[in-house]
């Protein structure tokens, strides 16, 4: 299932668990995100919150993406318009090759409009991470 813009638009509470296998550290991000509709089929995503990582280190963190509806699903780009990945379906993993590391992303939209989840596995010589992000309607 690929959601339409209206199912994603608006405010979300975000909870992300991070497991860094290489550093043997855990992290947790708590914050808020908003999908803001722009021109036809485009959503601007902004996330901000606090990241608790490792030995009690707390950081302010944020990220921005551009989600663009395309016939195949959602094209997700970085806010500077560089391509990130294409979401085709929940059962079809999205890929981002950030040489020398590889990002494999999976999305679960079945619980929309109240919540959804993304899972990201990052492997390579620089990274070995699992990120699970839950989104709850604000």
């Amino acid at each position: 299932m690929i959601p339409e813009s209206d199912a994603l638009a608006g405010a979300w509470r975000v909870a992300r668990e991070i497991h860094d296998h290489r550093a043997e550290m855990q992290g947790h991000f708590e914050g808020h995100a908003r999908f803001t509709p722009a021109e036809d089929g485009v959503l601007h995503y902004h996330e901000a919150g606090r990241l608790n990582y490792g030995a009690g280190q707390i950081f302010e963190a944020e990220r921005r993406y551009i989600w663009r509806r395309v016939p195949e699903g959602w094209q997700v780009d970085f806010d500077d318009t560089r391509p990130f990945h294409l979401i085709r379906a929940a059962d079809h993993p999205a890929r981002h090759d950030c040489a020398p590391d590889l990002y494999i992303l999976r999305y679960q939209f079945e619980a929309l409009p109240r919540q959804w989840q993304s899972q990201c596995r990052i492997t390579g010589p620089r990274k070995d991470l699992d990120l699970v992000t839950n989104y709850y309607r604000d």
Side-chain angles (χ1 to χ4, degrees):
M1 169 187 130
I2 294 294
E4 295 301 322
S5 298
D6 59 346
L8 294 170
W12 296 90
R13 185 171 49 86
V14 181
R16 178 174 301 118
E17 296 298 326
I18 303 163
H19 185 110
D20 186 331
H21 301 281
R22 181 159 291 127
E24 297 182 358
M25 291 190 341
Q26 304 290 323
H28 182 75
F29 173 86
E30 287 279 339
H32 294 275
R34 177 172 292 279
F35 282 97
T36 304
E39 61 273 8
D40 190 38
V42 173
L43 293 171
H44 289 271
Y45 175 88
H46 178 238
E47 166 186 301
R50 295 175 64 105
L51 173 63
N52 186 335
Y53 192 71
Q57 301 173 50
I58 299 176
F59 306 93
E60 295 297 319
E62 72 176 309
R63 59 172 67 164
R64 296 175 187 269
Y65 297 111
I66 300 167
W67 286 46
R68 187 170 30 89
R69 193 68 162 101
V70 295
E72 304 85 27
W74 284 100
Q75 174 61 47
V76 181
D77 297 331
F78 295 102
D79 65 343
D80 64 3
T81 72
R82 288 177 298 127
F84 185 23
H85 62 275
L86 174 65
I87 304 170
R88 294 177 192 217
D91 61 347
H92 188 280
R95 298 173 51 97
H96 175 67
D97 189 3
C98 185
D101 299 318
L102 178 63
Y103 292 57
I104 302 293
L105 299 102
R106 295 184 184 278
Y107 290 85
Q108 296 177 351
F109 295 115
E110 292 79 18
L112 277 171
R114 302 306 309 158
Q115 67 184 56
W116 57 286
Q117 183 182 82
S118 70
Q119 301 165 0
C120 182
R121 177 78 177 119
I122 308 168
T123 57
R126 296 184 304 199
K127 297 179 182 174
D128 188 3
L129 298 164
D130 283 303
L131 293 83
V132 177
T133 306
N134 289 291
Y135 298 83
Y136 305 97
R137 186 58 81 177
D138 231 6

